[in-house]
């Protein structure tokens, strides 16, 4: 299959509206979109990524009018979060509208809904004739793509079109809050922090994954994720570690002595934005071990920690 690269949101939407699969930029990471009214395109998304069929997709909407086509019920908690954080890097899990095909939600009674703030994403969604189901635009298990070049690296020849935009401003996937029950639950940490959520919904709980859990609340949580080919090891500031050959470092502090490639980030925002592209860069350079500084479990640090722990296979 020929993959068209375009800078035009309208051209990209034409591909989607005729049943194609299109990668597009958002402020979190690039998404791989298919119209929810095109069941064959939804299947193509799973095939292109090599994604297990029991891992549901997030549905992207342009405005709140479209929300009614996707969700069956929007309770008080959901309204509070929508009012405060839409459009933005937040996904709400709500009771699904029967119009949403089972292939999108992997047969669940709920659906993840997100309204991105990125202007190119918004222009693209405005031209799409139905809401757009989109997982992150990377091969399953690899770090999410935060630039169109990374999308192209993973998916060239497997998808119809890539809408080129700038590198993702946040670089980490959206915060996910399960909002269909009476108590909201944080399923995945992201740039909308737990502290920000608590400020408007003090009763919010954090989902803890247990091995005994047979049906995880978010099916994606059980799959390996975000992993570069290199192994991930953790180091603390000023800790002297015995450095493996061809190793790299990313974090906020000075790197351990002897690493051949490193990235010191000025703050957590930069750490989050750079993390996945650094992983990919290390793989391209043949790095075998990436030392990472684990930030404290608060604010944006919670999301970065989560991705690092998963990438290291510890979640
Ligand atoms: O920032 C993002 O969320 C990006 C951009 C493209 O929007 N998308 C993204 O999609 O990260 P994906 O497919 O890589 O991750 C979606 C996660 C998966 O872990 C999936 O299991 C979970 O959301 N999810 C989707 N629908 C769900 C539902 N109804 N209930 C619980 N979890 C759900
Ligand atoms: Mg993903």
């Amino acid at each position: 299959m020929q993959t068209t690269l375009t800078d035009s949101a309208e051209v990209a939407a034409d591909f989607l509206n005729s049943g194609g699969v299109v990668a597009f930029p958002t402020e979190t990471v690039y998404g791989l979109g298919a119209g929810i009214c095109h069941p064959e395109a939804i299947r193509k998304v799973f095939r292109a990524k090599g994604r297990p069929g029991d891992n549901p997709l997030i549905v992207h909407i342009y405005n709140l009018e479209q929300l009614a086509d996707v969700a069956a019920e929007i309770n008080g908690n959901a309204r509070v979060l929508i009012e405060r954080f839409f459009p933005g890097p937040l996904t709400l899990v709500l009771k699904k509208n029967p119009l949403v095909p089972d292939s999108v939600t992997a047969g669940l009674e709920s659906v993840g809904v997100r309204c991105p703030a990125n202007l190119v994403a918004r222009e693209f969604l405005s031209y799409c004739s139905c809401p757009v189901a989109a997982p992150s635009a990377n091969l399953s298990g690899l770090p999410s793509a935060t630039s169109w070049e990374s999308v192209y690296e993973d998916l060239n020849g497997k998808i119809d079109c890539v809408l080129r935009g700038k590198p993702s401003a946040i670089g980490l996937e959206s915060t996910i809050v399960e909002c269909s029950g009476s108590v909201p639950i944080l399923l995945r940490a992201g740039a909308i922090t737990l502290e920000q959520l608590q400020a408007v919904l003090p009763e919010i709980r954090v989902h803890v994954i247990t091995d005994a859990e047979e049906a995880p609340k978010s099916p994606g949580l059980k799959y390996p994720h975000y992993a570069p080919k290199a192994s991930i090891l953790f180091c603390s500031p000023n800790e002297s570690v015995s450095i493996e050959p061809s190793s790299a470092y990313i974090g906020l502090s000075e790197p351990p002595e002897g690493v051949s490639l490193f990235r010191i980030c000025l703050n957590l925002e930069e750490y989050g934005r750079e993390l996945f592209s650094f992983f990919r860069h290390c793989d391209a350079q043949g790095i075998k071990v990436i030392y990472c500084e684990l930030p404290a479990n608060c604010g944006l640090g919670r999301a970065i920690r989560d991705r690092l722990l998963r990438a290291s296979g510890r979640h």
Side-chain angles (χ1 to χ4, degrees):
M1 180 193 307
Q2 162 118 19
T3 301
T4 301
L5 291 173
T6 181
D7 298 326
S8 160
E10 204 168 355
V11 167
D14 282 345
F15 275 103
L16 185 128
N17 291 335
S18 50
V21 169
V22 177
F24 62 101
T26 86
E27 68 273 30
T28 56
V29 298
Y30 274 67
L32 182 58
I36 62 167
C37 43
H38 295 288
E40 182 49 38
I42 303 285
R43 280 192 284 278
K44 224 156 113 181
V45 165
F46 281 91
R47 271 204 305 276
K49 280 186 60 103
R51 182 178 177 102
D54 66 351
N55 194 1
L57 309 183
I58 293 173
V59 177
H60 296 68
I61 55 171
Y62 172 63
N63 56 22
L64 292 185
E65 253 162 67
Q66 276 190 330
L67 188 56
D69 300 335
V70 178
E73 191 187 297
I74 298 148
N75 61 22
N77 291 334
R79 276 179 213 288
V80 168
L81 295 179
I82 288 167
E83 168 90 0
R84 175 73 180 78
F85 298 113
F86 272 24
L90 176 69
T91 296
L92 296 183
V93 172
L94 301 168
K95 287 217 171 81
K96 101 176 178 75
N97 183 315
L99 289 173
V100 180
D102 279 346
S103 54
V104 170
T105 59
L108 298 177
E109 289 304 309
S110 62
V111 60
V113 191
R114 171 165 180 235
C115 181
N118 174 282
L119 292 179
V120 179
R122 292 190 58 70
E123 191 190 358
F124 169 66
L125 292 172
S126 77
Y127 290 122
C128 291
S129 49
C130 59
V132 174
S136 50
N138 53 282
L139 289 175
S140 240
L142 293 191
S144 294
T146 55
S147 67
W148 70 262
E149 290 92 339
S150 297
V151 174
Y152 198 67
E153 197 177 276
D154 277 17
L155 298 170
N156 179 28
K158 297 183 168 174
I159 63 176
D160 297 283
C161 176
V162 177
L163 172 56
R164 289 187 294 206
K166 297 209 175 90
S168 310
I170 293 170
L172 301 169
E173 306 80 358
S174 61
T175 304
I176 305 183
V177 179
E178 145 76 60
C179 234
S180 59
S182 54
V183 179
I185 303 168
L186 176 66
L187 295 181
R188 181 172 74 184
I192 305 284
T193 63
L194 177 62
E195 293 81 355
Q196 284 176 293
L197 295 166
Q198 281 168 332
V200 289
L201 293 179
E203 70 276 30
I204 190 164
R205 292 212 199 121
V206 178
H207 178 58
V208 183
I209 312 166
T210 58
D211 290 343
E213 197 172 15
E214 286 189 354
K217 282 219 172 308
S218 191
L221 298 176
K222 70 177 187 242
Y223 292 110
H225 252 94
Y226 320 118
K229 294 190 199 86
S231 315
I232 303 292
L233 295 178
F234 299 118
C235 62
S236 320
N238 308 319
E239 183 189 6
S240 69
V241 286
S242 63
I243 295 296
E244 310 276 338
S246 54
S247 54
Y249 164 84
I250 185 167
L252 300 169
S253 316
E254 291 292 315
E257 255 173 58
V259 291
S260 44
L261 180 68
F262 61 87
R263 185 84 170 82
I264 304 171
C265 306
L266 287 176
N267 49 37
L268 289 172
E269 283 70 26
E270 188 175 312
Y271 197 171
R273 189 161 59 236
E274 295 296 326
L275 183 64
F276 291 144
S277 74
F278 187 74
F279 281 175
R280 283 175 176 265
H281 180 60
C282 288
D283 278 348
Q285 299 294 313
I287 294 288
K288 297 282 180 282
V289 176
I290 308 173
Y291 292 91
C292 302
E293 183 178 347
L294 260 187
N297 202 19
C298 59
L300 188 59
R302 180 180 287 271
I304 297 172
R305 260 183 101 90
D306 168 73
R307 303 313 188 271
L308 289 173
L309 289 168
R310 281 169 199 277
S312 76
R314 297 201 199 180
H315 249 24

